[in-house]
Amino acid sequence: MRQKRPQLRSSPSRGSGPASVVRYGILLCASAITAYPSSATAQSQADSSAAAPPANAGTQEITVTARRRGTRSAIDRTIFDIDAGDDAASLNTTDVLRRLPGVTVTASSNVTVRGGANVGFLVDGKPVRRELALAIPASQIDRVELITTPPAEYASDDEALLNIILKKAAGVGWSGSGSGKVDTQGGYRAGASIVRGDGPTSGSGSLTLRSIPGIVDSVRDTSFIGASTSSDQRVRTRERSTFRQLSGQAKVTHRLAENESLEVVAGASYNVNPHDDAVVEMNDGSAGPRQLAYRRGIGFSGFYPSGSVTYRNRSSEDYGITVGIDANGGRSDERRDFTGDVTQRLADRLSFHFAQLSVDYDTRMDDDLKIMVGALIAVNGVRDNLLLSGFRGVGQDQTVNFGFHRKSFAAYVTGEGEIAGFGVKPGLRLEGFTQDITLAQRAAAGFEGTVRLLPSLHLTRKVGDGQSIKLSFSVRLEKPDALNFNPSLKFNSTVQADQGNPFLRPIRKVQGEINYTIEKKILFIENSVYARKSINEVNNVQYLTDNNVTVTSFVNLGYSETFGYSLNARIKPSSKLEIGAGIDLFHQKIVAPAALALLGSATFLALNGNVTVTYAPDKQNSFLSTIGYTSRNETLGLVNPATATTDFQYSRALSNKLSLTVNLIDFGAPQTLTTRFRGPGISGVERVRRASRLVRVGLSKTF
């Protein structure tokens, strides 16, 4: 439930007459000259600052209704309120998403939603990189908004969005919590959060530290026919790694006036992930048998900061303006040393940056119509300095300097109101970009840019008590990631490498869904039928070089088609028990273009799902069970195996605001993954066994 807008008892209707005509004229002018389209939404703005009456409004009738916690539906999104529990200070976004119905999180933390749609991340409506979003401490998260058919106010890069809304400081004085955990594999995690809620300035902050050791055994068998030889190849690897991450998030809000505020959000993540791999590479073919044994040492570190400054002004009940500056960046350093029967070295230093200026303006034309207009300009760039020494086909030494720069702009207009009993939200977005690539500081050929007009439409109608039907439609334009353009070979072993494609074109997508929702006090059920078509879909492809190196690269496909059914449900039959479940059944067809007919096509049926059960028999004890499943899926030339994840948790409240938590992670889940691949002159299979079963024990305290 949202707060109702104040109404003047004595004021006449504002929906007609000369004043209304003037307001419409002003709106059209504003939409023509406003230089922005931002990702802040009407929902986020309404939550961040309530519309207030003018100082001279006189007698007014104000109705305030508390917002119901739980799961609920809006015209263009599904909203999940988050209660991560007493140990929230040591959890992060990934842990939260695993428990949300309709969101699929694999063991490698890949996040998808309906039909395997790729997901973009927002924080308080602002775009952030995936690494930053997933590292946010769970103690900072108030709710997550799932947007499966994004409206026009959002950048068009992703088929779906997860908008992470951070908590606002509340209450009086200081409060906080801390949590620490260890597991049976030698890993640990700890975190602390603090909140100050009184006065004109309020804020919150969190810091988490985690260490995740891992052991992975893999065997990759490859058969190929090269330019001058046929061969069977086996690469056996035993990998030991320890992923360590220190991440923090802070949010400060300063009230400049009654309805005017300035908000600053800052976050950062520092990752370290060293590997020590024992590799045995065997070849047998017309060139004669060969066996190499060597060690691969990988040292990786990365630092990823982000920040935003947002000014909001709602000095009138009729309009509001939001101005935001958002930026994120990062730098990573990686070194791969191969020693033993081979001596090779790879050194890779990568840096990137993103900055955006956006302006949003919303106005109420009358009680039933709200208009939003906006614009943005953004820049992002990547520098990748790569040194290769001793690898096949690149000479004894090779240095590659890759540069990428993209300028983006957009403008949008959306309306939201009620017409003949229907909630309506139409939108139109104009979006374009230009980009250039450099190699060794010289301009290189590649895709240069485009401009597109992207419409969207959302409709909703109540059809009974707590029941509604929604229809939504959106056109998207996904721009490939900058690193997908880098044509440099990056070796993972002596015979395996990755390579980008500088001629990748953006992906055009048309998607829509029909949704039937039931919202009751103890029950939420969302049924969705959806369809999506993508032109120029980017697909991995594997090929063999003349030096018998297997290269994984990217190509644009002809098209892909996806349609399916999704069910998200939450039921709370009593104060002690809550059950959440998500089911996603979909069919996908992927077709290669005529120029790549040798890749053929792929058609498959997939089922993804998760179930979360929370049971608290009394105030001291609680149980949480989470099971996730991702079925087998395909791309052209690659068949990915099914995966499962489980988490069984027991918590007990102790004295002095202490609580004990015990987790059993991935007990009963399969541990061996088999991936099949094929390409021009190449086919094979890779089997990976991961050691992930563990027991995690921790203590949490509030203060």
Side-chain angles (χ1 to χ4, degrees):
M1 301 295 290
R2 66 178 182 180
Q3 179 173 315
K4 293 184 179 179
R5 194 166 57 87
Q7 298 292 321
L8 292 177
R9 287 184 174 181
S10 58
S11 64
S13 170
R14 295 181 289 110
S16 60
S20 179
V21 174
V22 171
R23 274 189 294 272
Y24 274 88
I26 293 174
L27 171 66
L28 293 175
C29 293
S31 63
I33 64 174
T34 303
Y36 127 68
S38 111
S39 9
T41 68
Q43 176 75 26
S44 300
Q45 290 174 343
D47 287 333
S48 58
S49 57
N56 59 352
T59 304
Q60 300 186 25
E61 179 182 345
I62 302 176
T63 303
V64 179
T65 306
R67 177 164 62 87
R68 178 176 61 85
R69 300 288 295 181
T71 305
R72 56 200 184 279
S73 177
I75 190 171
D76 58 358
R77 68 199 66 199
T78 303
I79 303 167
F80 303 95
D81 286 312
I82 302 302
D83 181 6
D86 294 335
D87 59 341
S90 62
L91 304 179
N92 63 13
T93 305
T94 304
D95 301 307
V96 169
L97 296 181
R98 292 185 193 279
R99 303 174 184 177
L100 297 186
V103 179
T104 301
V105 183
T106 66
S108 59
S109 296
N110 183 40
V111 181
T112 61
V113 295
R114 296 172 188 171
N118 65 294
V119 174
F121 291 90
L122 311 171
V123 174
D124 285 343
K126 308 297 182 63
V128 297
R129 289 183 66 89
R130 173 183 178 275
E131 300 92 338
L132 297 169
L134 294 181
I136 294 174
S139 56
Q140 288 283 92
I141 301 175
D142 178 67
R143 64 183 184 276
V144 175
E145 300 176 346
L146 172 59
I147 308 170
T148 53
T149 308
E153 62 260 36
Y154 292 111
S156 63
D157 290 281
D158 301 289
E159 296 165 331
L161 297 169
L162 284 168
N163 188 17
I164 301 164
I165 305 298
L166 303 180
K167 290 180 178 178
K168 297 189 178 81
V172 177
W174 296 90
S175 62
S177 64
S179 175
K181 295 182 177 182
V182 296
D183 62 51
T184 52
Q185 290 184 8
Y188 59 84
R189 53 182 62 191
S193 66
I194 194 166
V195 177
R196 183 180 188 274
D198 55 344
T201 301
S202 60
S204 60
S206 295
L207 192 67
T208 61
L209 173 66
R210 56 180 55 203
S211 176
I212 306 174
I215 300 176
V216 175
D217 293 304
S218 67
V219 178
R220 182 182 176 99
D221 292 306
T222 306
S223 298
F224 56 81
I225 301 175
S228 59
T229 181
S230 298
S231 180
D232 293 321
Q233 177 190 93
R234 167 169 286 192
V235 179
R236 184 186 297 273
T237 306
R238 183 173 180 83
E239 173 186 338
R240 294 177 178 270
S241 66
T242 303
F243 174 76
R244 296 186 180 93
Q245 180 184 72
L246 176 65
S247 58
Q249 189 82 18
K251 180 177 182 178
V252 177
T253 303
H254 179 66
R255 193 170 64 248
L256 302 172
E258 184 65 25
N259 298 288
E260 189 178 7
S261 66
L262 187 67
E263 182 178 273
V264 178
V265 177
S269 175
Y270 177 69
N271 302 343
V272 178
N273 193 13
H275 295 247
D276 182 17
D277 306 342
V279 183
V280 176
E281 175 188 323
M282 295 174 288
N283 286 271
D284 188 11
S286 57
R290 187 193 71 184
Q291 177 170 321
L292 298 174
Y294 53 90
R295 301 198 72 84
R296 178 179 61 182
I298 302 178
F300 176 86
S301 64
F303 178 62
Y304 311 103
S306 69
S308 68
V309 178
T310 306
Y311 168 79
R312 295 185 176 92
N313 189 322
R314 297 206 64 87
S315 57
S316 167
E317 63 175 82
D318 290 326
Y319 69 86
I321 187 168
T322 303
V323 181
I325 299 175
D326 312 290
N328 63 68
R331 173 176 170 173
S332 65
D333 292 277
E334 183 175 357
R335 182 184 175 110
R336 302 179 186 180
D337 291 303
F338 298 78
T339 58
D341 289 349
V342 296
T343 302
Q344 298 170 336
R345 181 166 62 92
L346 175 151
D348 190 15
R349 173 169 292 180
L350 174 71
S351 61
F352 64 88
H353 66 270
F354 170 84
Q356 173 180 287
L357 170 64
S358 61
V359 181
D360 294 280
Y361 174 82
D362 68 88
T363 183
R364 287 191 178 273
M365 309 306 296
D366 54 42
D367 290 342
D368 297 323
L369 177 62
K370 180 177 181 178
I371 302 292
M372 288 182 61
V373 295
L376 68 81
I377 54 174
V379 295
N380 67 293
V382 170
R383 300 296 303 178
D384 193 358
N385 299 318
L386 181 67
L387 171 65
L388 298 171
S389 177
F391 289 96
R392 295 187 204 175
V394 299
Q396 186 63 28
D397 294 288
Q398 185 182 64
T399 300
V400 180
N401 295 317
F402 169 78
F404 176 87
H405 188 261
R406 178 185 289 156
K407 298 178 182 178
S408 305
F409 65 89
Y412 78 85
V413 57
T414 64
E416 185 173 353
E418 186 172 337
I419 300 176
F422 284 88
V424 182
K425 185 178 181 180
L428 190 63
R429 183 180 185 89
L430 177 68
E431 182 167 329
F433 68 92
T434 60
Q435 61 187 30
D436 58 76
I437 296 171
T438 59
L439 288 172
Q441 286 77 48
R442 295 183 180 181
F447 191 83
E448 296 181 352
T450 189
V451 178
R452 296 285 179 176
L453 197 60
L454 310 172
S456 66
L457 177 64
H458 295 76
L459 302 173
T460 184
R461 183 180 177 88
K462 292 183 178 180
V463 293
D465 182 22
Q467 302 174 60
S468 62
I469 293 179
K470 294 193 297 185
L471 290 85
S472 55
F473 165 83
S474 182
V475 178
R476 314 292 285 161
L477 184 72
E478 180 184 346
K479 299 179 282 292
D481 187 84
L483 292 180
N484 291 350
F485 291 98
N486 190 350
S488 308
L489 285 173
K490 292 189 177 182
F491 282 82
N492 302 310
S493 73
T494 65
V495 291
Q496 299 173 41
D498 298 324
Q499 183 180 40
N501 177 0
F503 294 95
L504 288 177
R505 301 184 300 279
I507 309 165
R508 304 194 306 273
K509 301 175 183 288
V510 179
Q511 57 192 70
E513 65 180 69
I514 302 174
N515 178 290
Y516 171 65
T517 303
I518 301 174
E519 293 184 69
K520 302 288 186 179
K521 184 176 181 180
I522 65 170
L523 177 67
F524 177 89
I525 299 178
E526 183 180 62
N527 299 272
S528 300
V529 177
Y530 58 87
R532 180 171 61 250
K533 183 169 184 176
S534 300
I535 306 297
N536 293 332
E537 185 77 63
V538 172
N539 193 96
N540 290 347
V541 61
Q542 297 197 358
Y543 67 90
L544 193 67
T545 69
D546 292 339
N547 299 291
N548 293 334
V549 174
T550 303
V551 177
T552 300
S553 188
F554 307 93
V555 295
N556 287 111
L557 299 180
Y559 68 91
S560 68
E561 295 176 336
T562 305
F563 61 86
Y565 165 76
S566 175
L567 169 67
N568 297 339
R570 273 192 173 181
I571 182 171
K572 192 169 185 178
S574 71
S575 59
K576 299 179 179 180
L577 178 65
E578 181 175 352
I579 303 172
I583 297 174
D584 183 23
L585 176 65
F586 64 94
H587 176 276
Q588 191 168 81
K589 181 179 181 180
I590 308 170
V591 179
L596 296 170
L598 56 88
L599 292 177
S601 63
T603 303
F604 66 96
L605 185 68
L607 174 67
N608 299 336
N610 60 356
V611 177
T612 300
V613 179
T614 304
Y615 177 61
D618 51 51
K619 294 182 178 180
Q620 282 73 43
N621 301 284
S622 64
F623 299 86
L624 173 67
S625 172
T626 303
I627 301 173
Y629 176 76
T630 305
S631 73
R632 171 183 176 274
N633 65 85
E634 299 183 29
T635 61
L636 293 185
L638 194 67
V639 180
N640 297 306
T643 61
T645 59
T646 64
D647 184 356
F648 303 103
Q649 176 178 297
Y650 167 70
S651 298
R652 180 175 178 82
L654 306 175
S655 59
N656 299 320
K657 296 184 178 181
L658 277 173
S659 63
L660 170 70
T661 304
V662 180
N663 295 80
L664 304 180
I665 309 294
D666 284 349
F667 279 75
Q671 302 297 307
T672 302
L673 308 178
T674 302
T675 301
R676 301 185 182 277
F677 57 90
R678 63 180 177 84
I682 183 173
S683 63
V685 60
E686 184 175 35
R687 296 177 178 86
V688 177
R689 180 173 180 82
R690 55 185 175 88
S692 59
R693 293 185 177 93
L694 59 85
V695 179
R696 183 179 294 144
V697 181
L699 287 174
S700 306
K701 180 177 176 58
T702 59
F703 53 87

